[in-house]
Amino acid sequence: MRKPILRTIITLVATLIPMLLCAQEAGGYSVGTTPTKRGALLEEFTGIHCGFCPQGHAIAKKMMRNHPNVYSIAIHSGHYAANHPDEPDFRITEGEALDAFFHPSGYPSGMVSRSLVLSDDDSPVTERSLWPYQAKAIIEQDASVNLLATSKYDGSTGKLSIHVEGYFTAEEQLLDQELMVVWTQGNILGPQSGANQGDDYSHQHMLRQYVTPLWGDTLQSPKQGQYFTRDYEVVVPADIKKVEVVPADIQVLAFVCNGKGEVLNVTSSKPEYVNYSLVSGALEAPQLPIGNRYAFNFFEAFLKNNGTAPITTATFDITINEDKKSVEWSGNIAPGKGADIELPLAGLAIDRKDENEYLIELKTLNGQSVKSSKLKGDFIYAQPCTPDLDIIITTNDKADDAFYRLRDADGAIIKEFGPYPVGEISEDKQQLNLEPDRAYCFEVWCPWGMDLTYPNSTYVIHNSDGSLLAQVLKITDYGSRTFFFTSKPSGVTELPAVGNTPGTLFDLSGRRVTHPTPGLYIQDGKKIIIQ
């Protein structure tokens, strides 16, 4: 048990150097002048005693992983964020003020760019199932203002310096525009109801401080073609309410609002670090996790850089059924970012008939040993099938963002299905003629997830003899995979000898069947399917 945490007041020394530069030449500015698409900002109201909040956290994580121009701030506030005496207190004054102003009615709930799109009333606060729909609509729009943020953390002084530039691109500009700058912190371990991880739940992008006033710094008389800049400097505390601040986990966000309302655009900055360094990273599950069956020649994972310098090399231990090998990876992952990686399985023995237990363990980053991070589970090898398959794909009316494809064991895409029209349901029937004794994967994937449901996208795969190989009538989350191995002979080359009694059922070996179960049979010399 932790000792009771006393409420403390932390004074942050901030030096604000505001400056608005109007109608000036582009010299000295780095922000772009070509109109860009809007970024979407999710401000998520959450708390450690909210049992459904991990679902909201997962939605936010996937939205940001798949769409770099989606950003998130986790605001711990309200009743569900109130800590018990032996628990950390993640609340800050500004978060409580936002909660009081916007009045979230339930948790988790959130605001996507404080937009009223899909809102049932005049409040921008919506339930978690709507966040992807709102974010998708927002990032397809042109931004009225371009933003650029850079930042630097100096470990010798503890100071965080932030520079923000903006350029107004739209001809029509709202009169009341406010620049808001905050910094968040990730990888904060603590309790979380509904997560079943004790005190080791990893809280991400948690609001830690407003650098500007809560309702922002006013941008005076914005007009098309104008630039503005703002510079801020704050001293980062060692802790906030006895919750340690790890500088490597800081992220800066800058966004422009229409007064206290809609977020017109948003950007972020990972600080440059001087006189401070940390090598740290974590393994996370891939976007389509290893499921009940798996047959790629590699494991997929997501490697997150929690350090202060780019990750260029990493080593892993992979174990399958107590058979272990070390794997090296090289690439470039910037601080605060993550990347999908592939780890080859060559040399590891996979049981093709029984269950396989696996363990992936991160060992080193940039040649340095790091805290262990693991992924583990079990899988069965691909399901046997005939080389010739029949597949029926049924889309919903939002198929523009969905991918339907056939991949081989090396992950290469050997066939893509579609594109399918938007606004209507499509049914696509195709035959697949595959090579024998090979593993394949039929994959459906959507970067927004919700575009596969309501109504549901489905697919059904039959062997050449008519027997059912796979039937997926509801694709949850962000996609579905079916792995199969072409080890069965194609169809029935010769019908077995059968009796002369009309209507009698026989199985494929010629045995008479009196109580058939679903499957393929022969009747009157013809193949039939009983379902």
Side-chain angles (χ1 to χ4, degrees), residues 217-527:
D217 282 335
T218 300
L219 303 176
Q220 300 290 344
S221 304
K223 294 180 181 179
Q224 185 183 38
Q226 290 180 348
Y227 291 89
F228 69 83
T229 66
R230 288 286 193 277
D231 289 281
Y232 306 93
E233 187 176 88
V234 298
V235 175
V236 176
D239 65 86
I240 297 176
K241 294 185 177 180
K242 298 188 178 180
V243 176
E244 182 185 8
V245 174
V246 179
D249 294 329
I250 288 176
Q251 188 84 11
V252 173
L253 288 94
F255 50 104
V256 172
C257 288
N258 176 21
K260 298 179 180 179
E262 187 159 2
V263 178
L264 306 178
N265 205 2
V266 58
T267 191
S268 73
S269 168
K270 184 66 179 175
E272 173 191 353
Y273 293 91
V274 295
N275 301 315
Y276 175 83
S277 64
L278 178 68
V279 177
S280 178
L283 272 177
E284 297 180 4
Q287 297 188 50
L288 294 182
I290 297 172
N292 181 49
R293 290 188 181 273
Y294 193 79
F296 283 144
N297 294 329
F298 54 88
F299 275 153
E300 299 165 299
F302 186 81
L303 180 57
K304 178 74 181 297
N305 185 355
N306 296 328
T308 58
I311 294 175
T312 55
T313 62
T315 60
F316 305 84
D317 281 348
I318 301 179
T319 305
I320 299 180
N321 303 328
E322 299 182 356
D323 187 14
K324 181 189 290 188
K325 66 174 288 190
S326 295
V327 175
E328 297 182 356
W329 173 90
S330 62
N332 194 302
I333 304 176
K337 301 294 185 180
D340 295 302
I341 63 173
E342 295 181 357
L343 305 174
L345 300 181
L348 289 170
I350 297 176
D351 192 326
R352 293 191 175 183
K353 295 183 179 180
D354 205 352
E355 188 175 82
N356 297 273
E357 294 185 352
Y358 70 88
L359 173 65
I360 310 170
E361 184 175 8
L362 173 64
K363 303 297 290 186
T364 69
L365 294 173
N366 295 345
Q368 297 186 34
S369 297
V370 293
K371 181 180 179 181
S372 177
S373 182
K374 303 177 181 179
L375 294 175
K376 62 181 180 179
D378 54 71
F379 66 92
I380 303 173
Y381 193 66
Q383 188 173 354
C385 70
T386 61
D388 301 320
L389 300 173
D390 295 311
I391 183 169
I392 302 175
I393 298 170
T394 304
T395 74
N396 61 15
D397 56 359
K398 302 182 290 291
D400 55 323
D401 283 323
F403 298 86
Y404 300 81
R405 51 204 182 193
L406 182 70
R407 304 173 68 183
D408 64 16
D410 292 325
I413 298 173
I414 58 176
K415 183 177 178 61
E416 291 190 88
F417 303 83
Y420 300 110
V422 182
E424 61 184 76
I425 294 175
S426 302
E427 183 175 278
D428 187 10
K429 299 180 180 180
Q430 297 202 32
Q431 284 190 333
L432 304 179
N433 305 113
L434 309 176
E435 296 185 39
D437 298 319
R438 301 254 182 150
Y440 294 90
C441 171
F442 177 73
E443 175 181 272
V444 182
W445 181 75
C446 175
W448 288 107
M450 82 282 184
D451 285 353
L452 298 172
T453 55
Y454 309 115
N456 293 322
S457 297
T458 68
Y459 64 89
V460 181
I461 306 175
H462 285 97
N463 290 295
S464 59
D465 59 11
S467 59
L468 182 66
L469 176 64
Q471 184 177 41
V472 178
L473 300 180
K474 184 175 182 179
I475 302 175
T476 58
D477 211 2
Y478 283 71
S480 174
R481 283 175 174 166
T482 294
F483 288 92
F484 40 87
F485 186 74
T486 55
S487 58
K488 285 185 175 182
S490 291
V492 179
T493 57
E494 184 177 337
L495 292 177
V498 299
N500 296 321
T501 305
T504 302
L505 282 178
F506 296 86
D507 64 20
L508 297 183
S509 65
R511 292 175 296 185
R512 183 170 178 169
V513 177
T514 57
H515 300 288
T517 58
L520 183 67
Y521 298 91
I522 301 170
Q523 187 179 68
D524 299 331
K526 298 179 180 180
K527 291 183 288 183

Side-chain angles (χ1 to χ4, degrees), residues 153-164:
Y153 175 80
D154 188 336
S156 63
T157 62
K159 291 182 179 180
L160 176 65
S161 303
I162 302 169
H163 177 72
V164 181

Side-chain angles (χ1 to χ4, degrees), residues 15-329:
T15 303
L16 307 181
I17 315 172
M19 178 173 58
L20 179 65
L21 303 177
C22 300
Q24 296 192 20
E25 298 297 325
Y29 296 103
S30 299
V31 64
T33 57
T34 302
T36 60
K37 296 298 182 182
R38 290 174 67 183
L41 174 63
L42 169 62
E43 294 171 277
E44 180 185 3
F45 294 104
T46 187
I48 59 177
H49 294 295
C50 164
F52 291 104
C53 281
Q55 296 180 15
H57 303 161
I59 292 172
K61 175 193 282 189
K62 290 171 182 175
M63 286 169 56
M64 289 188 293
R65 183 186 289 191
N66 291 328
H67 307 281
N69 52 346
V70 175
Y71 306 85
S72 181
I73 300 173
I75 303 168
H76 285 253
S77 61
H79 169 74
Y80 289 104
N83 62 305
H84 296 155
D86 60 343
E87 295 174 332
D89 187 356
F90 295 145
R91 296 169 296 174
I92 65 170
T93 302
E94 293 92 338
E96 294 291 280
L98 291 170
D99 189 287
F101 183 82
F102 288 106
H103 298 292
S105 59
Y107 279 47
S109 58
M111 305 180 292
V112 180
S113 291
R114 303 185 186 178
S115 171
L116 297 178
V117 173
L118 299 181
S119 175
D120 292 333
D121 49 34
D122 292 334
S123 172
V125 181
T126 59
E127 62 181 32
R128 60 190 180 278
S129 64
L130 296 179
W131 300 343
Y133 294 96
Q134 294 174 301
K136 181 181 178 183
I138 287 168
I139 67 173
E140 291 174 348
Q141 299 172 4
D142 292 331
S144 61
V145 56
N146 290 350
L147 289 175
L148 174 71
T150 57
S151 55
K152 179 184 291 186
Y153 175 80
D154 188 336
S156 63
T157 62
K159 291 182 179 180
L160 176 65
S161 303
I162 302 169
H163 177 72
V164 181
E165 296 182 10
Y167 179 81
F168 296 106
T169 59
E171 182 177 353
E172 295 185 4
Q173 293 288 335
L174 297 167
L175 294 180
D176 186 5
Q177 297 193 36
E178 308 287 337
L179 173 66
M180 302 175 187
V181 179
V182 306
W183 62 268
T184 65
Q185 182 181 345
N187 308 312
I188 299 175
L189 297 183
Q192 179 62 62
S193 296
N196 298 317
Q197 297 181 26
D199 291 336
D200 292 326
Y201 184 82
S202 185
H203 293 272
Q204 301 297 326
H205 39 87
M206 184 188 299
L207 177 62
R208 297 279 75 194
Q209 184 193 1
Y210 259 77
V211 177
T212 60
L214 178 63
W215 302 116
D217 282 335
T218 300
L219 303 176
Q220 300 290 344
S221 304
K223 294 180 181 179
Q224 185 183 38
Q226 290 180 348
Y227 291 89
F228 69 83
T229 66
R230 288 286 193 277
D231 289 281
Y232 306 93
E233 187 176 88
V234 298
V235 175
V236 176
D239 65 86
I240 297 176
K241 294 185 177 180
K242 298 188 178 180
V243 176
E244 182 185 8
V245 174
V246 179
D249 294 329
I250 288 176
Q251 188 84 11
V252 173
L253 288 94
F255 50 104
V256 172
C257 288
N258 176 21
K260 298 179 180 179
E262 187 159 2
V263 178
L264 306 178
N265 205 2
V266 58
T267 191
S268 73
S269 168
K270 184 66 179 175
E272 173 191 353
Y273 293 91
V274 295
N275 301 315
Y276 175 83
S277 64
L278 178 68
V279 177
S280 178
L283 272 177
E284 297 180 4
Q287 297 188 50
L288 294 182
I290 297 172
N292 181 49
R293 290 188 181 273
Y294 193 79
F296 283 144
N297 294 329
F298 54 88
F299 275 153
E300 299 165 299
F302 186 81
L303 180 57
K304 178 74 181 297
N305 185 355
N306 296 328
T308 58
I311 294 175
T312 55
T313 62
T315 60
F316 305 84
D317 281 348
I318 301 179
T319 305
I320 299 180
N321 303 328
E322 299 182 356
D323 187 14
K324 181 189 290 188
K325 66 174 288 190
S326 295
V327 175
E328 297 182 356
W329 173 90

